[in-house]
Amino acid sequence: MASPTDCLPWLPGGFMVTVRALLFWALVYSYCAICACIELLKLLWSIGRSPGKTFQRIIRENPPACLSDPSLGTHCYVRIKDSGLRFHYVAAGERGKPLMLLLHGFPEFWYSWRHQLREFKSEYRVVALDLRGYGETDAPSHQKNYKLDCLITDIKDILESLGYNKCMLIGHDWGGMIAWLVAICYPEMVTKLIVVNFPHPSVFTEYILQHPSQLIKSGYYFFFQMPWFPEFMFTVNDFKVLKNLFTSRTTGIGRKGCRLTAEDIEAYLYVFSQPGALTGPINHYRNIFSCLPLQHHEVTMPTLLLWGERDAFMEVEMAETTRIYVKNHFRLTILSEASHWLQQDQPDIVNKLIWTFLKEETIRKRE
């Protein structure tokens, strides 16, 4: 077992390492400045066109009914002894059944797994977590509390607090990043790994440095390094950016997908419009460049990687390259008409693929 600290980067001394580090951080902050300038121009354009609308925000005091839908499960809380943080999650299925732990991406929360909560509760204790800083989970105020080693340890501690020593782990987007790292650092805790639209972290860091097109698509990673301005830009025009991420033609769910209803959109707006609700999630990204690349890479459990080919943020070429880091059964399925929001976009297909993978591994073990 490797600790989170062991998995994260270790750099030997030397002049060339210092030079490379300086060049790396020069790239990070230069691109950060470029992204900030672009966002500032967007803000000025919006103010010029409609100053009143730009700063308009609806106060949302009451959650939409879909967030308390009993068919999705029960709202629960667990407090972690070491960190003192209280985590919120929604659980479906009987206690004692094998644990299926679901980790959401950005900007999402437990609700992004609503279709899977309903689907898998017949055979699993399905737990959809609000990650550190998201939704009703506690949000530490200091940026340093969102380093990757903290996020990895959160999953280990939550697993133990729920009374389990292993789980079937599923992660999407940023939750996929965390899922990969948990699988690398605590392989004995992950029986099967399923990741949705996020490559192995080593593939991501190598690819982004070699392909300017992916660097551009990942521009928000760099923009989020700035204090407070990213949070502010999300609030412009009553969280128009947030709405567009799920609904626009370039980044949202397509016509053939399971589009979010008005109530679904309102659920996201309610959660992220609460005071300070964006800072915790964005803080996850503010430590990323000091935590990658990895020292340990290998994934040793059966792994399923699902990918929406119309992903506006991640290039599909990274999906196939991920195969080299998985030292066990690896299955990759690419859905040609699906977006980045795959488990919400094509829930029936995703659920079927997950069932097939789970049953396939059961048959493999019997043989």
Side-chain angles (χ1 to χ4, degrees):
M1 179 186 73
S3 71
T5 305
D6 292 334
C7 296
L8 299 178
W10 173 80
L11 293 175
F15 175 74
M16 287 308 298
V17 171
T18 303
V19 171
R20 288 175 184 171
L22 289 172
L23 291 174
F24 173 75
W25 286 108
L27 170 65
V28 170
Y29 286 112
S30 296
Y31 195 29
C32 172
I34 292 171
C35 294
C37 289
I38 292 171
E39 294 300 321
L40 182 59
L41 289 173
K42 290 180 182 178
L43 176 61
L44 294 174
W45 176 258
S46 178
I47 293 173
R49 292 185 62 186
S50 179
K53 192 175 181 181
T54 298
F55 300 105
Q56 180 184 18
R57 282 184 59 186
I58 297 174
I59 297 175
R60 296 173 170 87
E61 296 181 349
N62 300 311
C66 62
L67 294 183
S68 55
D69 183 348
S71 71
L72 296 178
T74 305
H75 289 260
C76 307
Y77 301 86
V78 59
R79 187 171 297 278
I80 304 303
K81 183 178 179 180
D82 290 342
S83 67
L85 298 179
R86 189 185 76 157
F87 284 80
H88 168 254
Y89 63 92
V90 173
E94 295 176 11
R95 295 178 186 271
K97 289 183 176 180
L99 178 64
M100 177 182 285
L101 186 59
L102 310 176
L103 311 181
H104 62 78
F106 175 89
E108 298 175 294
F109 61 114
W110 71 266
Y111 188 70
S112 68
W113 297 109
R114 57 196 176 280
H115 302 292
Q116 288 68 45
L117 281 163
R118 292 190 181 103
E119 177 70 19
F120 295 100
K121 65 183 179 181
S122 61
E123 294 190 24
Y124 289 89
R125 174 69 170 173
V126 189
V127 170
L129 188 66
D130 274 343
L131 296 175
R132 177 184 292 227
Y134 281 83
E136 294 184 55
T137 291
D138 287 348
S141 58
H142 295 294
Q143 181 179 320
K144 66 180 181 181
N145 292 322
Y146 295 87
K147 290 183 177 181
L148 282 175
D149 57 346
C150 297
L151 307 179
I152 298 166
T153 303
D154 282 345
I155 306 307
K156 170 184 171 292
D157 291 342
I158 288 166
L159 196 65
E160 293 173 345
S161 297
L162 293 176
Y164 288 85
N165 56 22
K166 58 185 178 180
C167 71
M168 208 276 285
L169 187 61
I170 306 181
H172 168 248
D173 182 65
W174 183 260
M177 161 81 88
I178 297 172
W180 282 115
L181 295 175
V182 171
I184 293 168
C185 297
Y186 297 107
E188 73 283 357
M189 287 191 156
V190 182
T191 55
K192 302 178 182 70
L193 176 66
I194 298 176
V195 179
V196 183
N197 278 77
F198 201 94
H200 186 286
S202 293
V203 173
F204 180 64
T205 53
E206 293 163 8
Y207 190 89
I208 196 173
L209 292 174
Q210 298 171 12
H211 296 81
S213 56
Q214 182 59 55
L215 190 68
I216 293 170
K217 290 180 178 180
S218 300
Y220 61 99
Y221 277 69
F222 297 84
F223 177 53
F224 287 171
Q225 303 310 304
M226 295 193 66
W228 70 263
F229 190 43
E231 289 94 321
F232 172 76
M233 286 302 297
F234 264 93
T235 68
V236 168
N237 287 330
D238 192 34
F239 296 87
K240 183 179 180 180
V241 170
L242 183 61
K243 299 172 194 172
N244 286 347
L245 283 173
F246 296 106
T247 61
S248 73
R249 299 180 71 178
T250 54
T251 64
I253 295 173
R255 289 179 297 174
K256 295 184 179 180
C258 181
R259 291 191 171 186
L260 271 64
T261 66
E263 190 176 36
D264 292 335
I265 295 293
E266 192 58 32
Y268 281 94
L269 294 175
Y270 168 78
V271 167
F272 288 104
S273 66
Q274 301 308 303
L278 282 161
T279 300
I282 292 176
N283 275 344
H284 281 241
Y285 292 87
R286 288 178 171 139
N287 292 289
I288 185 67
F289 294 112
S290 62
C291 295
L292 295 174
L294 304 178
Q295 182 182 355
H296 296 286
H297 307 274
E298 291 188 354
V299 175
T300 57
M301 66 287 301
T303 301
L304 171 66
L305 178 58
L306 301 176
W307 203 281
E309 194 170 21
R310 289 185 56 254
D311 192 326
F313 308 102
M314 294 284 172
E315 295 188 353
V316 70
E317 288 76 13
M318 291 187 287
E320 182 60 41
T321 311
T322 289
R323 183 184 304 271
I324 65 176
Y325 291 103
V326 180
K327 307 305 178 182
N328 202 314
H329 174 62
F330 176 77
R331 178 176 291 277
L332 167 64
T333 301
I334 299 173
L335 303 182
S336 59
E337 296 296 325
S339 69
H340 177 75
W341 321 104
L342 186 56
Q343 80 275 22
Q344 300 184 79
D345 186 333
Q346 302 286 343
D348 293 339
I349 296 176
V350 167
N351 291 346
K352 184 178 179 180
L353 290 168
I354 292 174
W355 276 125
T356 300
F357 175 70
L358 297 176
K359 292 176 182 178
E360 177 183 71
E361 286 305 303
T362 301
I363 294 171
R364 191 183 300 273
K365 283 184 177 181
R366 288 173 180 171
E367 293 176 347

